Amino acid sequence: IFEQPSILADTINAYYDAESSELNFSNLTIDFSKITKISIIACGTSYYAAMVAKYWFESFINLPIEVDIASEFRYRDSYLPENGLSIFLSQSGETADTLAAMRYAKQKGQITLSIVNVKESSLDREADFSLQCFAGPEISVASTKGLTTQLTILLLLTLHIAQETNRVSKLEISRKLQLVAEIPGRISEILNNVESVKVIAREVAQARNTIFIGRNYIYPIALEAALKLKELSYIHSEGIAAGELKHGPIALIDENIPIIILAPQNNLFEKTSSNAQEVAARGGKLITISSAEGNASLKNLSKYQINISHSDALIEPIIYAVPMQLLAYYVAVCKGN
Ligand code: M6R
């Protein structure tokens, strides 16, 4: 977790030359103007990275984008048109379902691109094209720097495709690239202020169930937060799209369940705040993660808060993933796991 600022700087430098302000995907000799559909396929945490990428791709690239869990994709008849691009995400590069899904996509004539951390892994070797994450070894079971490096490459790749297909002006691309360059510093700031996360971890460690809520591109981060917590602390945890809360899950809310609301201060903040009110009305134990200003407006509702400096919506999924990794880690430490 704490390696992320330096590792992300390395990953960014591998695909973006800050001096010339140019992206560098020279090995990716795909004619993106001919691509008819993009599918992104993965498992677990890598799948949540794919879900975030869908929001980015849809914002910048005018193509049908589909994401799927590898173990689902390989057993269904997804529409795979000629000149379709299938992207496979995997930290290890060896996940059996993802590898089988890639072989299936190849059989169906798709152009394949893998994004892997482990060089010379099966997915790296078998794909038509491959990009490396440069995260270094993921030693324990939890994928942390694996996730944030995948996300960073996917964001840079989105901008590359947008540039190659003339969807976004050069000026706009270089503005977005400046935001990407801010990521390591913003993550350092979070890692230098872990006290509030430790306090919340002590509370969450007492719970039997927890719920994480997010909206839009933060929704996959809520899913990822729930996965990381259950994987490390053995506490049951669910990630829920904020707008779905009222369609059933609200029935679970009582004063014993910590509800962690990921509410960056963006154009959907008011919507997420109204979900926070629904939870508070049911007596839920609210923990809000937002900017200082966002948290100030939620102060009367939430029991605990984590402040994250306000940043552009584009990079927020990468930034908000980190306090969720820390929470899972400190809860696991509290429980002696
Ligand atoms: O190596 P991969 O990225 O293909 O692994 C996929 C999942 O097994 C993995 O992300 C898993 O969900 C992690 N242990 C979560 O932390």
Side-chain angles (χ1 to χ4, degrees), residues 43-46 89-93 95 141-143 150 227-228 231:
C43 301
T45 289
S46 297
L89 299 179
S90 174
Q91 188 283 124
S92 61
T95 300
V141 65
S143 177
Q150 283 170 339
L227 173 64
K228 209 99 297 167
E231 189 177 33

Side-chain angles (χ1 to χ4, degrees), residues 191-237:
L191 297 174
N192 289 331
N193 289 294
V194 294
E195 284 316 309
S196 56
V197 186
K198 285 184 179 172
V199 171
I200 295 168
R202 287 197 278 276
E203 172 87 45
V204 172
Q206 312 302 317
R208 286 175 59 88
N209 299 291
T210 51
I211 292 178
F212 291 85
I213 288 167
R215 205 172 255 280
N216 202 250
Y217 49 78
I218 295 293
Y219 165 49
I221 302 303
L223 295 172
E224 163 62 7
L227 173 64
K228 209 99 297 167
L229 185 68
K230 68 182 88 148
E231 189 177 33
L232 299 190
S233 71
Y234 311 102
I235 295 173
H236 169 248
S237 190

Side-chain angles (χ1 to χ4, degrees), residues 1-307:
I1 293 171
F2 284 83
E3 285 174 9
Q4 286 174 112
S6 70
I7 279 172
L8 288 172
D10 293 346
T11 307
I12 295 167
N13 288 338
Y15 297 101
Y16 166 56
D17 178 5
E19 240 165 62
S20 62
S21 214
E22 292 291 337
L23 283 159
N24 174 20
F25 283 94
S26 51
N27 295 336
L28 205 54
T29 52
I30 297 173
D31 182 352
F32 284 104
S33 65
K34 296 214 164 66
I35 295 298
T36 48
K37 176 186 174 183
I38 299 180
S39 312
I40 319 175
I41 294 127
C43 301
T45 289
S46 297
Y47 171 66
Y48 297 141
M51 283 179 75
V52 173
K54 182 178 161 82
Y55 291 93
W56 286 329
F57 279 29
E58 285 177 344
S59 300
F60 291 97
I61 302 162
N62 196 17
L63 279 178
I65 313 288
E66 183 176 37
V67 292
D68 209 347
I69 296 168
S71 57
E72 291 295 318
F73 174 80
R74 60 183 287 207
Y75 298 119
R76 67 190 188 92
D77 293 316
S78 176
Y79 171 60
L80 296 171
E82 200 179 330
N83 282 323
L85 171 66
S86 295
I87 303 177
F88 297 86
L89 299 179
S90 174
Q91 188 283 124
S92 61
E94 298 294 351
T95 300
D97 280 317
T98 312
L99 188 55
M102 176 188 278
R103 289 175 180 158
Y104 169 78
K106 276 197 141 181
Q107 256 176 29
K108 296 277 175 185
Q110 299 297 286
I111 302 164
T112 55
L113 163 64
S114 64
I115 300 181
V116 296
N117 188 36
V118 180
K119 186 92 194 123
E120 294 301 328
S121 56
S122 302
L123 278 154
D124 179 42
R125 284 185 279 109
E126 291 192 26
D128 299 323
F129 300 93
S130 185
L131 300 172
Q132 210 194 329
C133 293
F134 301 108
E138 274 282 27
I139 292 164
S140 61
V141 65
S143 177
T144 52
K145 57 186 180 169
L147 170 79
T148 49
T149 52
Q150 283 170 339
L151 286 171
T152 303
I153 293 177
L154 285 161
L155 178 51
L156 292 170
L157 180 64
T158 308
L159 297 174
H160 172 68
I161 301 175
Q163 182 171 280
E164 291 290 297
T165 50
N166 298 318
R167 298 259 174 235
V168 182
S169 73
K170 199 147 171 69
L171 181 66
E172 194 57 17
I173 298 272
S174 84
R175 281 202 193 116
K176 304 291 179 209
L177 287 169
Q178 279 165 20
L179 295 172
V180 175
E182 286 177 12
I183 294 169
R186 289 186 176 273
I187 291 180
S188 285
E189 201 184 306
I190 293 169
L191 297 174
N192 289 331
N193 289 294
V194 294
E195 284 316 309
S196 56
V197 186
K198 285 184 179 172
V199 171
I200 295 168
R202 287 197 278 276
E203 172 87 45
V204 172
Q206 312 302 317
R208 286 175 59 88
N209 299 291
T210 51
I211 292 178
F212 291 85
I213 288 167
R215 205 172 255 280
N216 202 250
Y217 49 78
I218 295 293
Y219 165 49
I221 302 303
L223 295 172
E224 163 62 7
L227 173 64
K228 209 99 297 167
L229 185 68
K230 68 182 88 148
E231 189 177 33
L232 299 190
S233 71
Y234 311 102
I235 295 173
H236 169 248
S237 190
E238 266 192 67
I240 298 174
E244 278 293 289
L245 203 60
K246 58 180 169 295
H247 300 291
I250 199 149
L252 294 173
I253 292 169
D254 62 22
E255 61 285 355
N256 297 317
I257 281 203
I259 316 278
I260 297 111
I261 303 200
L262 299 164
Q265 219 193 354
N266 56 31
N267 59 334
L268 294 172
F269 179 75
E270 292 308 322
K271 287 255 165 208
T272 313
S273 298
S274 73
N275 301 123
Q277 275 156 15
E278 287 162 16
V279 171
R282 295 247 166 178
K285 206 182 281 175
L286 230 74
I287 299 165
T288 54
I289 326 288
S290 186
S291 66
E293 205 182 313
N295 268 335
S297 75
L298 296 169
K299 199 153 185 55
N300 295 338
L301 304 177
S302 50
K303 182 162 184 201
Y304 298 102
Q305 301 194 316
I306 298 175
N307 286 343

